[in-house]
Amino acid sequence: SKIFSLMFSALLCGSLLTGCGNTGSTQNDLSETPANVSLEAVFAGGAGTETDPYQIETIAQLETFRDGVNDGSQNGYTGAFIQLGADLDMEGAVWTPIGTMEDMEGHSTMFLGVFDGDGHTVSNLSYTSEAPTVGAGLFGISCGTVKNLNMDALNLYGAGKYAYWLASGISVDYT
């Protein structure tokens, strides 16, 4: 059972790493924002460029950003620059990681931009899953860059027969 889990994890890591090779455009290539959500409502400010990144300052903004990645409506924020503008205490928040494997071919549900924590800390983040999970933490599946981010009091819980995790979003400067 442990051998199977290790082999499966190794194969999955390999497929994820090779799956990130062709993510499309490197320009800020956001699909149209759904009519009921404006980018101004998602972010505290910014234009999504390297010199003027989108700003996230609240848990609600972080959750809305995550939802745009996970549902594929923002094409993973391909080429966009996002910056954390404040420390966030996630105590009591029900969290789902940013980025999923729902669209492995088109990569639209993976994070494909640059997330700069700007030295801020996300604390007390908890994630629980009873199912096999790849990508647990603040970020789940990312072919983008996560940098300058501090995590404190991260709690990941997996239960059941297949309780193995490939955690991401814990490391600083991971690409």
Side-chain angles (χ1 to χ4, degrees):
S1 175
K2 284 187 178 183
I3 293 173
F4 171 75
S5 293
L6 289 173
M7 288 175 44
F8 179 76
S9 295
L11 289 171
L12 196 50
C13 278
S15 67
L16 287 174
L17 291 175
T18 58
C20 290
N22 184 15
T23 57
S25 172
T26 58
Q27 299 298 312
N28 190 333
D29 185 26
L30 302 180
S31 61
E32 285 192 34
T33 303
N36 61 342
V37 177
S38 71
L39 288 177
E40 291 79 26
V42 174
F43 301 106
T49 65
E50 187 170 9
T51 57
D52 187 19
Y54 291 130
Q55 296 291 312
I56 293 177
E57 297 178 350
T58 67
I59 294 170
Q61 290 167 345
L62 184 65
E63 290 171 333
T64 305
F65 160 69
R66 175 216 44 216
D67 294 344
V69 172
N70 291 358
D71 68 16
S73 67
Q74 297 304 315
N75 196 32
Y77 285 90
T78 301
F81 290 80
I82 295 93
Q83 186 175 60
L84 192 58
D87 293 343
L88 298 179
D89 184 348
M90 305 292 286
E91 183 78 35
V94 177
W95 187 249
T96 300
I98 300 166
T100 73
M101 294 176 61
E102 294 299 315
D103 180 18
M104 288 298 291
E105 185 175 322
H107 302 106
S108 69
T109 61
M110 299 175 186
F111 178 64
L112 302 170
V114 176
F115 187 95
D116 184 352
D118 197 31
H120 290 287
T121 300
V122 174
S123 60
N124 299 308
L125 182 125
S126 294
Y127 175 67
T128 301
S129 177
E130 301 295 324
T133 301
V134 174
L138 182 62
F139 281 80
I141 305 300
S142 172
C143 289
T145 299
V146 178
K147 64 183 183 177
N148 303 321
L149 177 64
N150 299 307
M151 300 291 295
D152 184 43
L154 180 66
N155 181 25
L156 306 176
Y157 175 77
K161 183 177 177 182
Y162 300 105
Y164 51 88
W165 297 73
L166 297 177
S168 64
I170 299 168
S171 302
V172 175
D173 285 330
Y174 115 91
T175 300

